[in-house]
Amino acid sequence: MRAIAVRQFGGPEVLELCGMPEPAVKGTHLKLRTRLAGVNFADIHLREGSYPSPLPCPFIPGNEVLGVAEDGRRFVALAKGGGYAEAVAAHRKLAFEVPDAVSDHDAIALTLQGNTAWHLLHTDLRLTAEDTLLVPAAAGGVGSIAVQLAKRTGAKVIAMAGTEAKRQLATDLGADAVVDSSTIDGLTERILDAAGGHVTAALEMTGGEVFHATLDALTPRGRLSVFGSVTGTEGLVPIAQLVGQSKSVTGFWLPSLYPSRTHLNDSMTALFDAVAAGWLKPVHGPVYRLGQARQAHHDLAARLTTGKVVLNLNP
C-alpha cells in the first residue's frame, strides 16, 4: 500500500511517500480502506518528536481517518499513528460508524477536532449559559466547532483570529465579538474591550505570551483549559496569580479519554446528531493528495489554512 513514512524526526521534508505492507488486523481491530486522513497539529508534533506520547521511528503519522470496512460501512477512527496510508487497522472501541446523513468531510472534521472541542467545553470547562468564553484560532478545526458548540450552550463567545477573513468566518459562525490575534501588543486589553470585561472561561493552544495575555483576561475564579502550545513556548503558570485570584488552569489531551467506554461514544453521537440536525456546520479546509503531505504540514504550521485540513486517498 502507499503510505507516508517518517524515518527520522524533523521538518516536513522527512515525510516520505513510499510502499509499505498493509497492517495486520487483530480481533480487537477493524480494517479500513482510507478515504480521508485528517491533518492536525498533533501530526506535526509527532513528526518533530515533541508529541506527549511520541512514536519511535520509523512510523506512519496520522491520528484520525475516515475509511470503509470490508462490509461497505463507513467509519471514522482515532489512532496513535498509521493514518497516512491506504489501509488502517483501527481499534474497534475507537472506530465510530458514520450515519448516512453525515458526509465524509463533515465526519472527519468531528473525529479528533470535534471531540476535542466537545470535551474542552463540556468535560473540562463545564461551560454554561452564564459563561463568557474566549476561543483562540476560531477559524481553525477545533476553534470553529468550539464557537458553534459554545453558542448552542448559550454562552457569550469572544473569538480570536489572525486575519480579517478568519475573523469574519468566526462572526458568521456565531461569535459575539472578535479580536485580532495577529499581534501580542495590547492583546489582554483588546480581549477585555471585546468582551465588555473579563472572560469567565478560555481555551489556550498557543503558549508563551499569548498564554499570559489570556490568563490576564480571565476573571477571578475563571477557568482556563490548555490543549496545546503551537509556538513551542511554554507559558509558566504564575502561582501568585492563581492563588490570589482563584483562577484555574487545566490541561486537556484527547487521548486521555481513549480508555473510557462512554466519553467518546457519547460525544461522537452528539456531534453526528448536531450535524444531521443542521445546527453544527464543520468548516472544510484545504484538501491535499497523499503525496502532498509535506505541503499540508507546511501550510498548517504556517497558519495558512482555515477549517479541517485533510489528505484525500480516494482513487
Side-chain angles (χ1 to χ4, degrees):
M1 68 175 184
R2 294 185 309 136
I4 296 292
V6 173
R7 303 187 189 281
Q8 62 181 20
F9 298 124
E13 70 279 357
V14 304
L15 298 171
E16 177 188 345
L17 180 63
C18 60
M20 298 190 73
E22 293 200 359
V25 179
K26 303 176 183 178
T28 56
H29 286 66
L30 184 69
K31 190 170 186 177
L32 301 176
R33 292 291 170 188
T34 308
R35 285 185 177 178
L36 299 174
V39 180
N40 302 287
F41 274 101
D43 303 337
I44 293 174
H45 291 307
L46 269 174
R47 188 201 74 219
E48 295 172 338
S50 59
Y51 195 58
S53 181
L55 294 174
C57 294
F59 66 88
I60 299 172
N63 292 333
E64 69 179 341
V65 298
L66 180 141
V68 179
E70 292 180 353
D71 61 6
R73 291 183 295 164
R74 292 182 302 151
F75 287 85
V76 287
L78 293 160
K80 297 179 180 178
Y84 293 9
E86 291 180 317
V88 175
H91 199 292
R92 291 181 183 274
K93 73 176 182 179
L94 295 176
F96 311 93
E97 186 174 359
V98 180
D100 291 341
V102 179
S103 71
D104 285 1
H105 283 266
D106 282 346
I108 194 72
L110 301 176
T111 310
L112 193 150
Q113 294 174 327
N115 274 306
T116 295
W118 179 272
H119 289 289
L120 281 168
L121 300 189
H122 298 305
T123 302
D124 198 27
L125 290 177
R126 300 183 183 276
L127 196 74
T128 74
E130 304 303 315
D131 280 309
T132 297
L133 174 72
L134 181 65
V135 178
V142 173
S144 60
I145 292 177
V147 168
Q148 296 175 76
L149 294 178
K151 288 304 299 178
R152 186 72 174 186
T153 301
K156 181 178 181 180
V157 176
I158 312 302
M160 296 200 296
T163 69
E164 181 58 39
K166 291 181 178 181
R167 290 190 290 275
Q168 183 59 55
L169 174 59
T171 299
D172 294 341
L173 292 173
D176 296 281
V178 293
V179 176
D180 183 354
S181 59
S182 62
T183 175
I184 188 64
D185 294 339
L187 181 57
T188 298
E189 290 72 21
R190 287 183 280 117
I191 293 170
L192 297 179
D193 182 62
H198 289 79
V199 300
T200 62
L203 306 178
E204 216 295 286
M205 43 75 74
T206 304
E209 292 180 287
V210 175
F211 169 86
H212 289 288
T214 301
L215 187 62
D216 288 343
L218 201 63
T219 189
R221 298 185 65 191
R223 298 103 68 208
L224 172 60
S225 186
V226 179
F227 64 106
S229 178
V230 298
T231 63
T233 304
E234 295 186 5
L236 299 179
V237 179
I239 301 301
Q241 186 178 3
L242 297 189
V243 175
Q245 299 183 26
S246 298
K247 295 181 179 180
S248 300
V249 177
T250 57
F252 180 79
W253 185 45
L254 187 66
S256 68
L257 297 180
Y258 288 4
S260 170
R261 292 183 178 275
T262 59
H263 279 90
L264 293 177
N265 283 327
D266 290 348
S267 58
M268 205 72 248
T269 298
L271 290 164
F272 282 149
D273 288 348
V275 168
W279 65 260
L280 179 61
K281 300 181 184 300
V283 177
H284 300 165
V287 178
Y288 302 83
R289 303 300 298 181
L290 184 62
Q292 296 175 304
R294 293 177 180 178
Q295 189 65 48
H297 274 224
H298 170 272
D299 293 351
L300 181 61
R303 310 285 187 88
L304 300 177
T305 63
T306 297
K308 182 63 195 174
V309 181
V310 298
L311 300 178
N312 184 351
L313 285 87
N314 286 302

